[in-house]
Amino acid sequence: MCGIVGYVGRADNGHQHKALDVVLEGLRRLEYRGYDSAGVAVLADGEVFSAKKAGKLSNLLNELEENPLPESLTGIGHTRWATHGGPTDLNAHPHLADGGKLALIHNGIIENFAELKEELLAKGVTFLSETDTEVAAALLADEYQADADLEPKIRLTVAMQRACQRLEGAFTLLAIHADLPGVVVAARRNSPLVVGLGDGENFLGSDVSGFIDYTRRAVELGQDQIVTITPDEVVITDFFGLPATGKEYHVDWDAAAAEKDGYPSFMEKEIHEQPRAIRDTLLGRTDANGALILDELRISESILRSVDKIVVIACGTSAYVGQVAKYAIEHWCRIPTEVELSHEFRYRDPIVNEKTLVVAISQSGETMDTLMAVRHAREQGAKVLAICNTNGSTIPRESDAVLYTHAGPEIAVASTKAFLAQITAAYVLGLYLAQLRGNKFADEIRVILDELSATPAKVQEVLDREQEVKDLAASMKDVESVLFLGRHVGFPVAMEGALKLKELAYIHAEGFAAGELKHGPIALIDEGQPVFVVVPSPRGRDSLHAKVVSNIQEVRARGAKTIVIAEEGDEAVRAYAEHVFYIPQTPTLLAPLLATVPLQIFACALATAKGFDVDQPRNLAKSVTVE
Ligand code: F6R
């Protein structure tokens, strides 16, 4: 939520980068984090110049074309997902203070802004916007003025330290001051911020895509840290001025990975990257004998052997991964596994202890609800293992261990390739635990791993037939409601299919456990109601297939138009479906990696047919950094 960029450069560093260009390029890449407004501020000739506009970044670009800002080597930029105050020009960031000499941008929520505002109003400060950010700007200006005798170089840093000591909540703040060309001061608590290291220039970003065009050297900052960047220096302290350090790392993808690569949208590109995302997530996780090795898990084998309960915490799409993980882990490892939405887990006094393994699943690694749940679980003595796609993000840093997915940057707001990569990582974790705890023999694990290794090619087969799904979506562009049914691992797939359709096409969509149908939801079925049904393999156990075929008949008898996702060779479903989309054969537990793909393509194509922006759906943001 909210994208933040900062830049400082030296005139003679040979790059000839201009602050405004760097900042706007960063905002373009970070716009997926919020698109309610965008704004920039630069320093030139001892003054702050700023521009901001409600709506997408393109509105700001038009404004800058009409009213250009002066050239500069110091700048900050912001793209907003509105919290306090609606998405208007006035509420857009940057917010100015100190008579227009200080500009500040913010990601997060300042919880004690009301009392600070009262205090500042009493001092005669006036406010133009409804935001908590303007209060932070005024507080920073107040602290800056309070120490007029300090050496100019450190005055803004000290003011930031003091302001942060008073702020409560979640915030990343970036500030520039007219007195200090070549300096950007930033702070972070519970919100993301990374530093990009350049040569005669330095960068700040909500994540590395904010500066990936210029450097792949990044520094991960810790909680409650302040960083001051100049063209030649990066100085990190805590909120009390004590020296602190960040962790430098190399970004293993480049700017090309964050481009559309000829696809009409990032979402389509990312759907097509899924075979690679699964393959890369499996890469390097087995030894020469085919046994799983997870060196990166920093939790000892004896602790993992003693785990008596697993709790998966996550939100949204990542939580559906948790449901798939539950089926796989319980089946393979016989460890009771619960799945809970992070925001519910955190506030219901959950029973976790030293024998609980909490698995936190998050693409971004920054979801505030999941981060808070991680902290809560650790306070109760549980070990936390993160499954995460974003190197250097907060959730893995605050967890005991991390299993990174290697889906590459996911830019489209709706998650696709991260979903399949997370499911893959969850399978790897389940098989690793089964190996470690002796629940499965090595040859049994190898058979499943071989099946898993075959899935990227099978996903590709599904993608090769995408036109079939796109045509179906185009023919259904005026439907008002779509239902999704599934059983077993098909249930979370149905939920995911419905979520994608809600997010992208803004139509009513619901996913149900097929067995639940006759306990209520079947009342929704009316003549012509489209119902997607995810059918398990007929080769599977427990007559699961027969049960789902019965469910199809039940809805059809009441007028539903059924669209069935079934395994190749499953001729039994043909008689009951208006449309069948066949996926390659795979074991039931692994089927979500294939069955989800046509549902993603369907949602994307239907939204496109309705003329919606699939990369930036309304009201959403990629990384939900507020509770
Ligand atoms: C849906 C979607 C969201 C995220 C959720 C959690 O397409 O993207 O539901 O899955 O906000 O985000 P992460 O995985 O970053 O914690």
Side-chain angles (χ1 to χ4, degrees):
M1 297 207 156
C2 299
I4 280 191
V5 195
Y7 174 77
V8 278
R10 245 196 292 117
D12 58 355
N13 62 13
H15 302 302
Q16 311 203 319
H17 295 146
K18 298 186 185 99
L20 194 59
D21 297 342
V22 174
V23 164
L24 289 173
E25 182 59 22
L27 291 186
R28 184 177 74 79
R29 295 203 183 280
L30 289 174
E31 200 182 12
Y32 69 91
R33 300 180 67 92
Y35 26 87
D36 286 331
S37 65
V40 289
V42 295
L43 290 185
D45 308 324
E47 273 187 67
V48 169
F49 294 86
S50 84
K52 52 191 196 173
K53 271 279 164 217
K56 294 200 174 182
L57 181 61
S58 51
N59 294 357
L60 175 69
L61 297 178
N62 292 340
E63 165 69 15
L64 288 169
E65 208 149 278
E66 276 176 34
N67 299 300
L69 297 185
E71 280 194 11
S72 166
L73 289 164
T74 309
I76 55 177
H78 186 267
T79 169
R80 177 169 188 243
W81 187 83
T83 54
H84 285 73
T88 61
D89 286 357
L90 265 187
N91 289 333
H93 304 205
H95 289 280
L96 303 184
D98 204 12
K101 292 175 80 182
L102 182 148
L104 181 110
I105 55 179
H106 166 220
N107 171 25
I109 290 182
I110 297 185
E111 284 168 1
N112 59 338
F113 85 100
E115 64 188 74
L116 292 170
K117 188 169 185 174
E118 233 165 75
E119 192 184 300
L120 290 158
L121 282 169
K123 287 186 174 181
V125 177
T126 50
F127 293 94
L128 299 173
S129 77
E130 306 151 274
T131 63
D132 51 346
T133 306
E134 195 180 6
V135 175
L139 178 70
L140 182 62
D142 193 53
E143 296 291 354
Y144 186 80
Q145 285 308 335
D147 247 325
D149 296 339
L150 273 178
E151 197 193 327
K153 208 175 149 209
I154 59 164
R155 196 168 150 199
L156 189 61
T157 306
V158 171
M160 184 67 94
Q161 288 159 359
R162 291 190 183 151
C164 288
Q165 288 169 30
R166 302 209 51 207
L167 296 174
E168 288 166 19
F171 48 85
T172 298
L173 300 168
L174 259 68
I176 54 175
H177 196 287
D179 296 348
L180 297 169
V183 179
V184 180
V185 178
R188 79 164 288 256
R189 165 180 285 169
N190 294 335
S191 265
L193 179 65
V194 279
V195 182
L197 301 176
D199 178 14
E201 57 183 357
N202 285 308
F203 309 81
L204 294 164
S206 297
D207 63 46
V208 293
S209 50
F211 47 74
I212 193 69
D213 293 84
Y214 308 98
T215 180
R216 290 165 73 182
R217 286 176 63 206
V219 176
E220 176 184 322
L221 292 176
Q223 173 74 339
D224 285 6
Q225 290 191 340
I226 307 262
V227 60
T228 303
I229 62 165
T230 64
D232 300 303
E233 249 188 332
V234 171
V235 179
I236 305 173
T237 69
D238 67 10
F239 284 0
F240 297 90
L242 295 173
T245 48
K247 190 169 144 218
E248 187 175 337
Y249 64 100
H250 180 78
V251 183
D252 58 6
W253 50 272
D254 59 14
E259 292 296 342
K260 286 186 197 157
D261 210 11
Y263 287 95
S265 63
F266 280 111
M267 182 161 183
E268 282 207 52
K269 178 190 172 217
E270 288 161 9
I271 288 173
H272 282 264
E273 284 174 335
Q274 295 187 110
R276 190 193 51 70
I278 299 173
R279 209 173 283 124
D280 288 356
T281 300
L282 290 173
L283 209 66
R285 287 184 162 147
T286 41
D287 67 14
N289 303 318
L292 277 159
I293 35 158
L294 294 184
D295 287 343
E296 64 220 272
L297 283 197
R298 298 179 305 251
I299 302 175
S300 75
E301 293 191 356
S302 66
I303 290 182
L304 289 175
R305 276 196 199 97
S306 70
V307 162
D308 65 7
K309 179 167 87 167
I310 292 179
V311 181
V312 183
I313 49 173
C315 299
T317 288
S318 297
Y320 300 143
V321 175
Q323 292 192 26
V324 175
K326 173 184 166 74
Y327 285 97
I329 294 173
E330 289 193 337
H331 182 64
W332 291 334
C333 313
R334 312 308 297 153
I335 308 173
T337 303
E338 297 168 8
V339 188
E340 190 147 6
L341 294 167
S342 312
H343 32 93
E344 291 299 318
F345 171 86
R346 167 75 183 82
Y347 292 106
R348 71 158 175 85
D349 196 12
I351 303 167
V352 292
N353 56 37
E354 298 72 24
K355 293 200 160 201
T356 314
L357 177 67
V358 169
V359 178
I361 306 180
S362 176
Q363 186 286 129
S364 61
E366 299 294 348
T367 298
M368 181 61 81
D369 290 314
T370 304
L371 175 62
M372 290 303 162
V374 165
R375 287 186 186 160
H376 186 68
R378 292 191 78 199
E379 277 161 24
Q380 312 302 308
K383 289 284 178 226
V384 177
L385 185 155
I387 292 181
C388 184
N389 195 44
T390 312
N391 210 323
S393 58
T394 310
I395 290 170
R397 198 178 47 244
E398 296 206 12
S399 299
D400 297 288
V402 57
L403 197 56
Y404 277 113
T405 49
H406 296 290
E410 192 177 63
I411 312 273
V413 165
S415 188
T416 54
K417 64 175 178 172
F419 180 68
L420 294 202
Q422 286 166 340
I423 292 179
T424 307
Y427 291 147
V428 168
L429 175 65
L431 291 173
Y432 179 73
L433 291 174
Q435 172 183 287
L436 193 71
R437 296 160 65 102
N439 299 94
K440 281 209 172 291
F441 294 114
D443 53 343
E444 293 174 293
I445 292 176
R446 202 156 316 133
V447 168
I448 303 170
L449 276 176
D450 286 348
E451 289 283 3
L452 205 45
S453 306
T455 53
K458 294 179 185 179
V459 172
Q460 189 57 52
E461 279 181 48
V462 175
L463 292 171
D464 291 343
R465 293 187 6 250
E466 68 176 344
Q467 197 53 46
E468 217 180 296
V469 183
K470 286 183 168 177
D471 292 344
L472 176 72
S475 73
M476 288 174 64
K477 105 177 187 338
D478 297 320
V479 296
E480 286 173 357
S481 158
V482 182
L483 304 182
F484 294 78
L485 304 181
R487 266 181 194 258
H488 194 260
V489 286
F491 174 33
V493 171
M495 304 283 277
E496 173 62 2
L499 179 59
K500 288 287 95 91
L501 203 54
K502 277 182 237 186
E503 295 183 279
L504 299 172
Y506 318 145
I507 58 177
H508 171 248
E510 269 190 82
F512 297 107
E516 190 65 8
L517 204 63
K518 41 190 161 306
H519 300 286
I522 199 160
L524 289 170
I525 308 291
D526 203 354
E527 197 57 41
Q529 170 67 51
V531 180
F532 276 79
V533 188
V534 182
V535 179
S537 166
R539 300 168 302 121
R541 311 162 305 136
D542 301 339
S543 64
L544 207 58
H545 177 266
K547 291 276 183 310
V548 176
V549 172
S550 302
N551 296 138
I552 303 176
Q553 286 167 294
E554 287 156 13
V555 291
R556 252 188 136 224
R558 287 156 181 87
K561 182 179 162 205
T562 51
I563 301 130
V564 167
I565 312 290
E567 191 180 86
E568 260 159 22
D570 183 355
E571 289 304 320
V573 293
R574 267 197 202 279
Y576 311 114
E578 258 65 43
H579 190 99
V580 186
F581 186 86
Y582 283 113
I583 54 174
Q585 295 189 348
T586 198
T588 301
L589 271 176
L590 307 189
L593 291 176
L594 304 178
T596 310
V597 180
L599 304 185
Q600 297 168 335
I601 298 168
F602 178 78
C604 184
L606 193 93
T608 307
K610 285 172 98 70
F612 297 142
D613 179 345
V614 292
D615 286 340
Q616 296 181 342
R618 71 183 179 202
N619 303 340
L620 296 175
K622 183 75 183 157
S623 178
V624 184
T625 53
V626 292
E627 270 189 277

